[in-house]
Amino acid sequence: TEQTLDTGFGSIPSLVTCYFECTTDNANYSIGDHVLVSSNSAGDTGNTGISVTFDGSVGSNDVTVTIASGGIYLTDKTSNSEANLIESSWRLRVKAWK
């Protein structure tokens, strides 16, 4: 899945941050918990991960979020093991600054 977001800046953003906000308990996270997303987070499960790019290759002011076909895995909050993120339990927040 790929989503391109238009910042409206007219130039490449100087900074982009992304985090998941828990909306329904999942992987021992509670509603309201936030998990920071790196620009390229991938698990060893195969075809999993997320990439966030803002290099101007799609458009000079776009931020592109790509989620691999196998979904996203997080570290379980209490067991520290790999846990499949249930998409309906999380909201992805993307913030960009000029």
Side-chain angles (χ1 to χ4, degrees):
T1 303
E2 182 175 287
Q3 180 71 44
T4 300
L5 309 167
D6 182 353
T7 64
F9 293 159
S11 62
I12 298 170
S14 61
L15 176 67
V16 175
T17 61
C18 300
Y19 62 91
F20 290 108
E21 177 185 355
C22 186
T23 58
T24 305
D25 295 351
N26 178 222
N28 290 305
Y29 291 93
S30 301
I31 295 171
D33 283 349
H34 295 85
V35 178
L36 186 64
V37 176
S38 72
S39 62
N40 187 18
S41 300
D44 62 1
T45 310
N47 296 323
T48 64
I50 183 171
S51 293
V52 180
T53 59
F54 56 105
D55 59 6
S57 62
V58 175
S60 64
N61 60 350
D62 293 339
V63 174
T64 303
V65 177
T66 306
I67 298 175
S69 61
I72 300 170
Y73 283 72
L74 297 174
T75 302
D76 185 283
K77 188 175 180 179
T78 57
S79 71
N80 296 327
S81 62
E82 190 175 70
N84 187 10
L85 180 144
I86 298 171
E87 288 184 37
S88 61
S89 296
W90 297 87
R91 180 177 296 122
L92 178 63
R93 300 285 193 178
V94 179
K95 294 185 177 187
W97 289 266
K98 188 172 180 179

